[in-house]
Amino acid sequence: MWEVVAYGRPSRSLVVVAHINSLVELANDISYFMLTMDIFRSVMAPGEYPRYLSLLIMVTTATVLLVTVFIKEVDPSISLGMAAYRASQLVHNSFDDRPTVDWNSTIGSERRLRSSRDSNRSVGNQPDGAMPNENGGQGTTEFRRLPSDVTSYHDNGSSNCATRKNVAFLKTHKTGSSTIQNIIYRFGVNHRLNFALPRRRSNYFGGNTRFKRRYVRPLPRGHQYNILANHARWNREEFHALMPADTVYLTILRHPATQYESLYSYYKWGSYFKVPFGEFVRSPEFYYRRLNKTESRKPRHGFRNPSLYDLGMEPPEHDEHHDEDVDGMIHSIERDFHLVLILEYLEESLILLKNLTCWSWDDVIFFRVNARTNSGDVQLSSKSKEILINFNQADWRLYKHYNNTLWEKIAEYGAERMQKDKLILREKIDAWRDRCINRTIVSKFHGTGINKFMLKEESENNTICQQLVRSSLHYLYLLNREIRKQPLGKHKQSSK
C-alpha cells in the first residue's frame, strides 16, 4: 500500500480513496499470503480463488466497520470519514503485526515477534515472510539486502569486464525457469537493483496476452527498472520500451516431450482432456481436437507448442504452425535474445551466462527450486517421446535450433575450458549445499511432490542460504513489500 501523507485533516475524497485502497491491499495481502502456503495451495481447486478473495474482502470490510465504530465511541469528536480512515490503517497495520515476522513497516514503530516457531522447520514450507532470525530459529527479520560491497563474498573471476546489471529473463513454463529466476532475483537483491514486478502480484505479466508496460508495477519517479524475471509472453517493442538499452535478454528451453509431460502433470491438464497422461499420449491429436470442438475461444496456449507461445507466437488457426512461420520466429528470437539456455545442459548454460554478464561464481550457483521429486517423474518411452515431438513439432524445431546454437557457443568458449569451469561450478554448489542444507522434504502441490529444503540450524541466519531456497512467490511477496514503502503521489506509470 502506498503511504498516504497529508498535513492536517485529509479531504473527504482522499479519505475515501485511502480507505478503499487499504481494504483492497489488505485483502490482497492476506490472500497472497495464504496462496503461497503449501497447505492452502494443495486443497484449493481451480476456480476457488475468486470466491476466497471475495470472502476475504467481506471479512476485511466488516472488521474495518467494527473498528470504525470503536474509534467513534472512543473519540466522538472526529468525523465518520476520519474514523473509517484510521480504522483501515489500523487493520492494515495489524496484518503487518502478524505472528510470523516484522516487516519494519514505514507506518508506525518497529513491531516485535509475537510467537516463535520450531527452529528446525523447513524454510520451503514456512509461510511467506517467515525466516530464521540472527539467533537461530524463528524470529523477527526483514527483507535484508547485502552491503553495496557485495564482492566481499564474491570471487569475481575477471577484472577486464563490466558487470551487466540490467537483465530481462522471459520465464517459460516447466523449463527449470524457477531456478534461473532465483539466480536473477538473488543477483538483483544483492546489488540493490530495481525490479519490474507484475501489478497483480502474481508470477505472470498479463496471462495469455502479450506483455505490455502497463502490466508492470510502477517505481518511484526517476527510477529505472533493472531486473525483469517473471512469466510473460514476449513483446519486443514493449520490453524494449520498459528496460534500459543495454539490457541482456535471456530465456530457457526444455526438450518438448519432457516439458509437455511436466506441464500435463503440474497444471492438471487431465481435467481438461478428461483422460490421464498415459491415455492422452497415445493419441494427443485426437484429444486436442476434441477439446477444441468444445471450446468457444482459441486453443489454450499450453496445449500445443507452449514455448513458442511464450515467445510471442500466436496459436495457428488450424492444427499446426507452418514451417516458414516457425523459421521466421526462430530468426526473430535470434535477434532479440542474447542467450537461450537449455535445461538439459544447465551447467553449460549458466557458465555461458556468467561469461556474458561478467557475474561471479557465487552469482550463478543454484539449488533446483520448484522441482518435482524423482518419484514424481514419469519415464517416457521412446515411442511416447516421438509422439509428443510430432505433436509439438514447432517447439521441436525451436529446441533443436537452440540446442545446436548452445553447442556452437560452447565450442567458441572452448571445450576444455568449459569442462574445467563445470568442475568449479559443481564444487561451489556442493560447498554451499554442505553449508546450507540439512535435508529435503516433499511438499504436495495439487498432488504433485515438490522438493523443499530444510536449512541447517547454524545456517538459518545466512543470507545466501535463505536466498538459495527461497521460492518465487516468497521473493515476489518481499519485493512487493519493498516497492509499497514509497509515498503516494511519487510514482510514475511505466506505460503510456
Side-chain angles (χ1 to χ4, degrees), residues 43 65 138 181 195 232 244 296 309 377 396 403 424 495:
V43 300
L65 289 175
Q138 285 300 116
Q181 185 186 46
F195 291 80
S296 59
Y309 188 88
D377 290 339
W396 175 239
N403 186 43
I424 293 173
S495 62

Side-chain angles (χ1 to χ4, degrees), residues 420-443:
K420 290 180 179 178
D421 283 354
K422 282 174 65 177
L423 292 176
I424 293 173
L425 179 60
R426 289 173 183 174
E427 289 173 359
K428 293 282 184 182
I429 293 172
D430 289 342
W432 279 104
R433 185 177 295 276
D434 291 342
R435 181 175 181 177
C436 300
I437 303 301
N438 180 13
R439 61 190 178 93
T440 59
I441 62 173
V442 178
S443 173

Side-chain angles (χ1 to χ4, degrees), residues 338-391:
H338 296 87
L339 179 65
V340 177
L341 295 82
I342 300 294
L343 176 62
E344 286 75 15
Y345 303 102
L346 186 58
E347 293 174 335
E348 291 87 347
S349 296
L350 289 174
I351 291 168
L352 293 177
L353 170 62
K354 173 183 177 294
N355 185 62
L356 172 66
T357 58
C358 198
W359 289 1
S360 75
W361 284 113
D362 282 335
D363 287 328
V364 296
I365 59 173
F366 66 95
F367 299 157
R368 290 183 183 268
V369 295
N370 201 34
R372 284 188 301 177
T373 60
N374 291 332
S375 60
D377 290 339
V378 174
Q379 299 300 319
L380 295 173
S381 66
S382 298
K383 182 175 179 60
S384 294
K385 286 185 177 180
E386 182 180 354
I387 291 172
L388 290 173
I389 286 172
N390 289 332
F391 181 63

